[in-house]
Amino acid sequence: MTGRAPQPRTQLHRAAAGIIIAVLAVLVLAADQLSKYLALEHLPLEVNVPVLGDFLSFYLVKNPGAAFSFGAGATWIFTIALAVVACVIAWLAITRVRSRAWAVILGLLLGGVLGNLTDRLLREPGFAVGHVIDFINTPWMWFWMNSAIYNVADIFIVTMMIGVAVLVITGLGLDGVRERREDVPADSSLED
C-alpha cells in the first residue's frame, strides 16, 4: 500500500491530463490545417460555393483581422494574444490541470488557438502578420445579415470557451474538485 488517498474519479494524474491536452490539441490542429489546405486547393477565392443551400456554403477569404475582419490593421496583436493563450494553456496543463473535463476542454481549445496561430505565423503576407484562412459560411446563424466566415479552429475556440464558462459556473476546479458554495448569510443591516 502506498499510503496515498484515492483520487476522485474526476481527477487525473497531471501527466495524464497533459497527455489528453496534447493529443486533442494536435488532432484539432491537424483537422484545422488539413481543412484549410483543402479549401485553398479546391475553392475559388471570395466566391460563394453553396453546399446546403442557404444553410451552409463555402466562401474562401484570407482574413487579416479577427471576427468580422475587426482589427485588420493590427494582425500582430492577434498573433501575440494567441501565443499568450497557448502558453497559458500549456502552463496550466503542466502545473494545474487534474480534471478530465478541463483536460478535454483545454486540449480542444489549445488546438483551435494553435490552428489560427499557425496561420498568423506562417501564411502570407509574412511572419506574425499572416492572414487566417476562413471558408465556412452559415448565414442563417447571423439572420442573413453580415455573416461571419470562419474555420475549424474558430469552431473549437468558440465552443470550448463556452465549455470553460460552464465549468467555471458549475464550480469544477482545474484539480477536479467541485467548489462547495456556501449559503450567503442574510444581510443584517436590512433587518433594522
Side-chain angles (χ1 to χ4, degrees):
M1 185 144 252
T2 63
R4 283 195 271 167
Q7 291 182 340
R9 289 184 334 143
T10 59
Q11 282 189 327
L12 299 169
H13 188 275
R14 269 195 202 117
I19 290 169
I20 290 170
I21 291 170
V23 167
L24 291 175
V26 167
L27 290 173
V28 171
L29 174 61
D32 176 67
Q33 291 300 304
L34 176 62
S35 67
K36 290 172 179 173
Y37 168 78
L38 292 172
L40 287 168
E41 288 295 312
H42 300 289
L43 294 175
L45 188 62
E46 298 182 4
V47 174
N48 192 51
V49 178
V51 177
L52 295 172
D54 288 340
F55 186 79
L56 170 68
S57 65
F58 291 147
Y59 189 88
L60 179 63
V61 294
K62 296 177 180 181
N63 185 356
F68 301 99
S69 293
F70 171 77
T75 301
W76 61 272
I77 293 173
F78 301 119
T79 303
I80 292 170
L82 288 168
V84 167
V85 170
C87 288
V88 167
I89 293 172
W91 177 78
L92 289 172
I94 293 167
T95 64
R96 301 268 195 269
V97 178
R98 294 187 64 166
S99 160
R100 187 172 282 117
W102 275 104
V104 168
I105 286 176
L106 290 177
L108 297 173
L109 176 61
L110 180 59
V113 167
L114 291 175
N116 284 344
L117 181 59
T118 299
D119 286 3
R120 296 281 181 213
L121 294 175
L122 302 179
R123 295 204 189 271
E124 295 175 350
F127 183 77
V129 293
H131 295 176
V132 172
I133 304 303
D134 291 330
F135 62 94
I136 301 169
N137 185 21
T138 49
W140 59 272
M141 288 178 66
W142 318 100
F143 304 104
W144 286 272
M145 297 172 76
N146 188 17
S147 63
I149 300 169
Y150 50 95
N151 57 49
V152 171
D154 294 335
I155 293 169
F156 281 98
I157 291 170
V158 170
T159 57
M160 292 308 108
M161 287 306 298
I162 293 168
V164 166
V166 168
L167 292 182
V168 169
I169 289 169
T170 61
L172 183 63
L174 291 169
D175 59 0
V177 176
R178 190 156 311 273
E179 181 182 301
R180 297 194 186 271
R181 304 223 186 250
E182 302 286 331
D183 288 334
V184 178
D187 187 359
S188 59
S189 65
L190 295 176
E191 295 174 5
D192 292 335

